[in-house]
Amino acid sequence: MIDELTVLRRTCIGSVREFVTMASLGVNIDHIANVRQARRTVEPDPVPMALLAELGGADGITVHLREDRRHIQDRDVELLRQTVRSRLNLEMAATEEMLAIALRLKPDMVTLVPERRQEVTTEGGLDVAAQAKDFSDLVRRLQDSDIPVSLFVDPDRRQLQACQSSGARWVELHTGAYAEASWTDQPQELARLIEAAAIARQLGLRVNAGHGLTYQNVEPVAAIPGMEELNIGHTIVARALAIGLQQAVREMKVLIQNPRLDPLFGQQPG
Ligand code: PXP
């Protein structure tokens, strides 16, 4: 049952969309690498999967090269740099090691994110305000090499002002609080994102957003005026499993029930 609020929201989004540029989609493929690394094997390989994401309409491919290399590996980023035909967005911690990699590979964008070894995923936004000098320095070094920089921050005025002072031209608003909020708190979290996007634009910053977005909660965020790109990973990979598993099992069943008697596959018993 669609309630009145949902109808109203969809109508508003429909009419707002007429006046705003549609947000593009950056597909985060870290979770594909997570499955590979669970076995330390070669499949699934995020590199060809990026091509499939592009065929599906991805406007960009996002990967997070973590310091502990828990999912995406250096080899993945190197190959993606050569094969991605849309845009490669490299998420990374603000460290000298990562800076050197970015300067060498020159992704289409670097998104600086906070990183803690113990966390399951990126937990909060950067505290740009507390480390203004470090961020300005890093942003300058990347932008001097023509690499646009985005800073992943909570929807907070002070952080956005610090982002502007750092010289960065982009921010990615952390949508985690909105995504995790209860049904009753979600409108308030959405209002924070809308306000933050407006503040960022007043400050001359371009606005992306991401983290925790799903098929159920993405639409109001996509409709925020000025929203340029949404970076989405987990829910897309989860959905890919859901819609692909039946076919994958079917293909295995065919092999088991009709094994090829090819010499390459060895002698058949008996
Ligand atoms: N944006 C940033 C900065 C992230 O760190 C992540 C998670 O790696 C995402 C977007 C995508 O989040 P999710 O996998 O929850 O869609």
Side-chain angles (χ1 to χ4, degrees):
M1 263 290 274
I2 296 181
D3 59 32
E4 279 177 29
L5 194 65
T6 308
V7 172
L8 183 66
R9 207 193 72 201
R10 288 195 177 160
T11 312
C12 288
I13 288 172
S15 45
V16 165
R17 199 160 271 153
E18 314 247 314
F19 300 101
V20 294
T21 325
M22 226 177 274
S24 58
L25 171 64
V27 176
N28 181 315
I29 56 172
D30 295 350
H31 298 289
I32 295 168
N34 259 327
V35 176
R36 177 191 60 193
Q37 294 311 112
R39 277 285 177 96
R40 303 267 189 280
T41 179
V42 295
E43 64 172 4
D45 187 335
V47 177
M49 295 291 176
L51 172 64
L52 295 181
E54 287 180 326
L55 289 175
D59 302 291
I61 300 295
T62 297
V63 287
H64 183 176
L65 184 66
R66 294 185 76 104
E67 289 181 282
D68 63 10
R69 308 298 198 269
R70 69 173 68 159
H71 39 55
I72 292 293
Q73 306 296 303
D74 296 68
R75 161 268 186 205
D76 300 330
V77 190
E78 307 238 356
L79 290 174
L80 287 166
R81 175 63 295 187
Q82 295 167 37
T83 55
V84 164
R85 287 286 166 266
S86 52
R87 283 176 277 117
L88 181 64
N89 174 21
L90 177 62
E91 286 180 12
M92 59 179 226
T95 65
E96 287 297 327
E97 183 207 1
M98 290 299 153
L99 178 71
I101 292 172
L103 292 177
R104 184 168 57 80
L105 294 180
K106 291 200 187 305
D108 298 293
M109 175 172 278
V110 159
T111 301
L112 294 176
V113 298
E115 206 174 289
R116 281 208 308 277
R117 278 186 183 251
Q118 301 80 1
E119 68 191 359
V120 175
T121 181
T122 314
E123 282 168 359
L126 291 165
D127 193 350
V128 184
Q131 294 159 277
K133 166 135 189 10
D134 294 345
F135 279 104
S136 308
D137 190 42
L138 213 65
V139 167
R140 184 186 46 73
R141 288 160 76 190
L142 286 161
Q143 289 183 168
D144 281 354
S145 287
D146 294 326
I147 303 171
V149 183
S150 176
L151 301 174
F152 183 57
V153 287
D154 292 328
D156 172 271
R157 179 186 290 274
R158 200 171 68 97
Q159 292 299 340
L160 293 168
Q161 284 167 338
C163 290
Q164 185 208 32
S165 307
S166 77
R169 308 216 175 86
W170 295 80
V171 287
E172 180 173 331
L173 297 177
H174 192 326
T175 49
Y178 160 79
E180 281 158 30
S182 65
W183 186 80
T184 46
D185 291 343
Q186 219 166 34
Q188 199 183 320
E189 292 299 336
L190 179 62
R192 279 183 70 201
L193 289 167
I194 293 170
E195 193 192 354
I199 294 169
R201 277 158 55 82
Q202 278 160 19
L203 293 167
L205 295 162
R206 297 178 70 176
V207 184
N208 298 334
H211 208 283
L213 295 176
T214 64
Y215 291 87
Q216 291 78 18
N217 67 22
V218 72
E219 289 167 276
V221 179
I224 292 176
M227 186 56 68
E228 296 209 32
E229 183 153 287
L230 300 179
N231 283 308
I232 306 180
H234 188 265
T235 201
I236 293 176
V237 174
R239 178 86 185 127
L241 284 177
I243 59 183
L245 192 62
Q246 216 175 330
Q247 175 68 16
V249 171
R250 206 173 286 132
E251 288 173 12
M252 183 56 81
K253 196 82 188 281
V254 167
L255 292 177
I256 290 171
Q257 293 186 336
N258 308 284
R260 280 189 285 179
L261 304 177
D262 188 302
L264 273 179
F265 288 83
Q267 296 269 312
Q268 290 299 306

